[in-house]
Amino acid sequence: MRIAILGGDGFVGWPTALHLSALGHEIHIVDNLSRRWIDTELGVQSLTPMDSIQERCRIWQQETGEKLHFHLLNLATEYDRLRGWLAEHRPEAIIHFAEQRAAPYSMKTDRHKVYTVNNNVSATHNLLAALVETGIDAHLVHLGTMGVYGYSTVGAPIPEGYLDVSVETPSGAKGLEILYPTRPGSVYHMTKSLDQILFQFYAQNDGLRITDLHQGIVWGTHTDQTRRHEQLINRFDYDGDYGTVLNRFLIQAAIGYPLTVHGTGGQTRAFIHLQDSVRCVELALSDAPKRGERVKIFNQMTETHRVRDLAEMIAKMTGAKVAYLPNPRKEADENELLVKNDQFLGLGLKPITLAEGLLAEVVDVAKKYAHRIDRSRVPAVSAWTKDIAQRVEHDPEGKRLRSVS
């Protein structure tokens, strides 16, 4: 199958490209390399050293004989080029990772909020409009997030996309199926909520075939393919904006940094290992909706954990200390999270759950590249409101010079 992977240079996009290429698909990576530019903006690099996308593709072909095609294109600002590219290459499936993915980055300043909305929403809508215009009947698989639902406690499992409700009418109660209500907790999550509405419209109006994957927090470093050569290694973010919570804990433990738990640590989150993430994309591709069907929605997660429980588990495993800090986010101190993921289990997913061996693997990677870590970039300091910003802790290690006067 000819597959376009939009955002294929990213944290999940790159291992997905390798995974699907290894299965024999013709892979086209379309990316504007914006994540690399954001590294430059923030002054922080991936923990793991990353070659250029061109060199990564060359190494993959050298190791496997399979070619990865790279195309430099900005989906959000180059609509005519995008439409022309689709008309020329006519992919049979499109995997859409091409969005700014970090909630903290989306809340840093007004400029970051505007960028996130312009980039994410325009990229998605440009893609949908171009698919209609070119008449390409490609299966579109989009990487969304469990975070569109927020983290309020409702006491019932979050279904996979849709909710059956009863509406009172003059003639009595009437059953109705609606998209499960969203309650985004950041500008980033808001853009993913807007994506859902765009998908619903284009599926019902133009018959586009769309699958939306509501993914949990990704952890881990390697997949079977990234292990094949050191230069194929995936990017690994540890900073307060882009580092995911479990990966950050493991890195902090590796370098003797306090495990930074914000607030009470009672936030419950959904998690998935990187290897399972790419496997879920493969399974979703094999279960495409038919033209005219509603958007297919999967909850792409394998387990849930409280943040403080993760910190305590890693502290016990590594001897690290836990530091409880003010929370830069505007969210509930405690929440439950019950999630259904029956569809992926039904398609044959055998989940990788938190295991000491895999956790230790991440710590080992962190120790190997510890010399690349800038400790000043570890704290999470991007605040959700100006009031919250006043109490954010910028120095969890207590190393700042203090006045004695």
Side-chain angles (χ1 to χ4, degrees):
M1 189 175 359
R2 187 181 308 110
I3 302 174
I5 301 182
L6 315 180
D9 187 48
F11 174 51
V12 181
W14 174 246
T16 300
L18 300 189
H19 181 80
L20 295 176
S21 176
L23 293 174
H25 297 291
E26 178 186 326
I27 301 300
H28 292 260
I29 293 173
V30 179
D31 205 302
N32 68 349
L33 306 182
S34 61
R35 182 64 190 88
R36 295 177 184 248
W37 285 106
I38 290 173
D39 278 344
T40 301
E41 175 203 347
L42 297 179
V44 61
Q45 300 180 68
S46 164
L47 171 71
T48 50
M50 290 170 54
D51 283 314
S52 69
I53 183 62
Q54 293 87 349
E55 180 66 3
R56 291 169 115 185
C57 292
R58 186 190 70 80
I59 294 293
W60 177 250
Q61 186 171 11
Q62 169 189 295
E63 292 297 306
T64 67
E66 300 292 337
K67 183 175 177 61
L68 296 173
H69 307 266
F70 171 65
H71 311 269
L72 184 65
L73 197 158
N74 190 319
L75 273 67
T77 62
E78 298 181 297
Y79 174 76
D80 289 340
R81 284 194 64 215
L82 169 61
R83 185 181 60 191
W85 188 90
L86 288 172
E88 177 184 352
H89 294 279
R90 306 194 73 81
E92 298 161 88
I94 299 171
I95 304 171
H96 179 17
F97 297 127
E99 295 180 275
Q100 191 292 105
R101 68 170 178 84
Y105 184 85
S106 77
M107 301 298 289
K108 288 180 77 68
T109 67
D110 57 342
R111 178 177 65 81
H112 294 88
K113 293 175 183 178
V114 169
Y115 168 75
T116 300
V117 171
N118 288 346
N119 182 80
N120 292 6
V121 179
S122 292
T124 297
H125 187 257
N126 284 352
L127 174 61
L128 295 168
L131 284 172
V132 172
E133 184 64 22
T134 55
I136 294 172
D137 184 29
H139 176 203
L140 172 59
V141 177
H142 170 257
L143 191 68
T145 170
M146 288 294 303
V148 296
Y149 300 132
Y151 296 105
S152 59
T153 300
V154 296
I158 295 174
E160 300 200 80
Y162 298 94
L163 182 66
D164 293 323
V165 299
S166 179
V167 179
E168 291 297 327
T169 72
S171 57
K174 180 179 179 181
L176 191 65
E177 183 186 71
I178 63 171
L179 280 173
Y180 192 88
T182 66
R183 192 177 181 182
S186 71
V187 167
Y188 158 73
H189 292 107
M190 182 185 69
T191 64
K192 296 291 191 175
S193 299
L194 294 173
D195 285 343
Q196 282 199 125
I197 303 300
L198 292 171
F199 296 147
Q200 185 182 48
F201 172 78
Y202 276 95
Q204 70 187 24
N205 191 71
D206 298 286
L208 295 190
R209 299 185 297 122
I210 302 171
T211 297
D212 198 10
L213 307 177
H214 290 177
Q215 180 161 266
I217 296 170
V218 181
W219 68 280
T221 51
H222 291 300
T223 65
D224 293 341
Q225 290 72 43
T226 63
R227 287 188 181 93
R228 296 186 65 148
H229 192 285
E230 188 168 12
Q231 287 174 271
L232 296 176
I233 196 166
N234 198 29
R235 78 171 296 122
F236 194 95
D237 299 305
Y238 67 86
D239 63 286
D241 285 324
Y242 275 90
T244 60
V245 61
L246 180 52
N247 278 354
R248 276 168 49 79
F249 283 166
L250 292 165
I251 285 175
Q252 289 168 343
I255 65 172
Y257 198 100
L259 307 186
T260 50
V261 176
H262 295 97
T264 67
Q267 308 94 332
T268 304
R269 297 292 187 260
F271 292 87
I272 186 169
H273 189 270
L274 183 62
Q275 182 71 60
D276 276 345
S277 182
V278 301
R279 171 71 172 139
C280 284
V281 173
E282 175 198 343
L283 292 172
L285 283 172
S286 71
D287 193 42
K290 293 182 174 59
R291 196 169 179 84
E293 290 184 349
R294 71 181 188 179
V295 177
K296 185 169 286 189
I297 300 175
F298 291 84
N299 287 338
Q300 186 164 308
M301 50 72 64
T302 55
E303 55 191 322
T304 61
H305 296 277
R306 287 190 190 280
V307 171
R308 62 171 173 257
D309 294 339
L310 290 176
E312 289 165 8
M313 176 180 68
I314 293 165
K316 183 178 179 181
M317 183 181 89
T318 64
K321 295 181 180 179
V322 179
Y324 285 84
L325 306 176
N327 193 349
R329 301 186 181 219
K330 188 174 183 179
E331 62 184 355
D333 289 336
E334 307 272 336
N335 74 278
E336 301 292 337
L337 186 61
L338 303 173
V339 184
K340 290 185 177 180
N341 64 342
D342 301 335
Q343 292 187 90
F344 274 133
L345 297 178
L347 290 174
L349 178 67
K350 295 178 174 57
I352 297 169
T353 54
L354 296 183
E356 190 164 314
L358 285 172
L359 294 173
E361 175 188 282
V362 180
V363 174
D364 289 344
V365 169
K367 288 179 177 177
K368 179 178 181 180
Y369 296 109
H371 62 282
R372 293 174 54 85
I373 294 176
D374 179 349
R375 298 175 83 97
S376 70
R377 302 298 179 178
V378 173
V381 298
S382 295
W384 262 230
T385 69
K386 292 179 180 179
D387 290 339
I388 292 174
Q390 302 304 310
R391 59 176 185 266
V392 169
E393 175 57 69
H394 290 254
D395 185 29
E397 293 189 281
K399 293 187 174 181
R400 183 189 303 116
L401 291 174
R402 302 182 188 279
S403 172
V404 295
S405 60

